[in-house]
Coordinates of all heavy atoms in Angstrom, one line a residue:
I38 N 83.1 298.9 207.8 CA 83.8 298.4 206.6 C 84.8 299.4 206.2 O 86.0 299.0 205.9 CB 82.8 298.1 205.5 CG1 82.1 296.8 206.0 CG2 83.5 297.7 204.2 CD1 80.8 296.6 205.0
A48 N 98.3 300.1 207.1 CA 99.3 299.2 207.3 C 100.2 299.0 206.1 O 101.4 298.8 206.1 CB 98.7 297.8 207.6
H54 N 95.6 307.2 209.2 CA 94.7 308.0 208.3 C 93.5 308.1 209.1 O 92.9 307.2 209.6 CB 94.4 307.3 207.0 CG 93.6 308.1 206.1 ND1 94.1 309.0 205.2 CD2 92.2 308.1 206.0 CE1 93.0 309.5 204.6 NE2 91.9 309.1 205.0
L74 N 99.4 304.4 217.3 CA 100.8 304.3 217.0 C 101.6 303.3 217.9 O 102.8 303.2 217.7 CB 101.4 305.8 217.2 CG 100.9 306.8 216.2 CD1 101.6 308.2 216.7 CD2 101.4 306.5 214.8
D92 N 100.9 322.5 207.5 CA 99.8 323.4 207.4 C 99.6 324.2 208.6 O 100.6 324.5 209.4 CB 98.5 322.7 207.0 CG 98.8 321.9 205.7 OD1 99.4 322.4 204.7 OD2 98.5 320.7 205.7
D95 N 97.5 324.7 214.6 CA 96.5 324.9 215.5 C 95.2 324.2 215.3 O 94.2 324.4 216.1 CB 96.3 326.4 216.0 CG 95.9 327.1 214.7 OD1 95.9 326.6 213.6 OD2 95.3 328.3 215.0
D201 N 62.6 328.2 179.2 CA 63.0 327.1 180.1 C 64.6 327.1 180.1 O 65.2 327.8 179.4 CB 62.5 325.9 179.6 CG 62.5 324.8 180.7 OD1 63.0 325.1 181.9 OD2 62.1 323.7 180.5
G239 N 73.5 319.6 195.3 CA 73.1 318.2 195.6 C 73.3 317.8 197.0 O 73.2 316.7 197.2
H355 N 77.5 333.3 169.6 CA 78.2 333.1 170.9 C 79.2 331.9 170.7 O 78.7 330.9 170.0 CB 77.4 333.0 172.1 CG 76.3 334.0 172.2 ND1 76.5 335.3 172.7 CD2 74.9 334.0 171.8 CE1 75.4 336.0 172.7 NE2 74.5 335.2 172.2
V365 N 105.5 324.7 182.8 CA 106.9 324.8 182.5 C 107.6 324.8 183.9 O 107.2 325.3 184.8 CB 107.2 326.1 181.7 CG1 108.6 326.3 181.4 CG2 106.4 326.1 180.5
S462 N 122.2 324.3 203.6 CA 123.3 324.1 204.4 C 122.9 323.7 205.9 O 122.2 324.5 206.4 CB 124.3 325.1 204.4 OG 125.4 324.8 205.1
E535 N 149.4 320.6 237.4 CA 148.9 321.3 236.2 C 149.9 321.5 235.2 O 149.9 321.4 234.0 CB 148.3 322.6 236.5 CG 147.0 322.5 237.4 CD 146.4 323.8 237.8 OE1 147.0 324.8 237.4 OE2 145.4 323.8 238.5
Q593 N 192.2 304.1 262.9 CA 192.1 303.3 264.1 C 192.1 304.2 265.4 O 192.6 303.7 266.4 CB 193.1 302.2 264.3 CG 193.1 301.2 263.0 CD 194.2 300.3 263.0 OE1 195.0 300.3 263.9 NE2 194.2 299.3 262.0
A618 N 194.3 306.1 250.9 CA 193.0 306.9 251.0 C 192.1 306.7 249.9 O 192.5 306.2 248.8 CB 193.5 308.5 251.0
Y625 N 186.6 312.3 238.2 CA 187.7 313.1 238.6 C 187.7 313.6 240.0 O 188.9 313.9 240.5 CB 187.6 314.3 237.5 CG 188.8 314.9 237.2 CD1 189.9 314.4 236.5 CD2 189.2 316.4 237.7 CE1 191.0 314.9 236.1 CE2 190.3 316.9 237.4 CZ 191.2 316.2 236.6 OH 192.4 316.8 236.3
V712 N 210.0 302.9 276.4 CA 210.1 303.1 277.8 C 211.6 302.8 278.2 O 212.3 302.1 277.5 CB 209.1 302.2 278.7 CG1 207.8 302.6 278.4 CG2 209.4 300.7 278.2
A727 N 221.9 287.9 274.0 CA 222.3 286.6 273.5 C 221.2 286.1 272.5 O 221.6 285.5 271.3 CB 222.6 285.6 274.7
T788 N 204.8 292.6 242.6 CA 205.4 293.4 241.5 C 204.3 294.2 240.8 O 203.3 293.8 240.4 CB 205.9 292.3 240.5 OG1 206.9 291.4 241.1 CG2 206.8 293.1 239.4
Y826 N 183.6 305.8 239.8 CA 184.0 304.6 240.7 C 182.7 304.0 241.4 O 181.9 304.9 241.9 CB 184.8 305.1 241.9 CG 186.3 305.3 241.5 CD1 186.8 306.7 241.5 CD2 187.2 304.3 241.0 CE1 188.2 306.9 241.2 CE2 188.5 304.5 240.8 CZ 189.0 305.8 240.8 OH 190.2 306.1 240.4
S827 N 182.4 302.9 241.1 CA 181.3 302.3 241.9 C 181.7 302.0 243.4 O 182.9 301.8 243.6 CB 180.8 300.9 241.2 OG 181.9 300.0 241.3
L902 N 195.9 290.2 221.2 CA 195.5 290.1 222.7 C 196.0 288.8 223.3 O 196.0 287.7 222.6 CB 194.0 290.3 222.8 CG 193.4 291.8 222.5 CD1 192.0 291.7 222.5 CD2 194.0 292.8 223.4

Side-chain angles (χ1 to χ4, degrees):
I38 292 173
H54 185 87
L74 292 176
D92 305 309
D95 58 344
D201 198 358
H355 310 283
V365 175
S462 180
E535 297 179 359
Q593 300 174 1
Y625 208 67
V712 295
T788 303
Y826 282 114
S827 65
L902 295 173

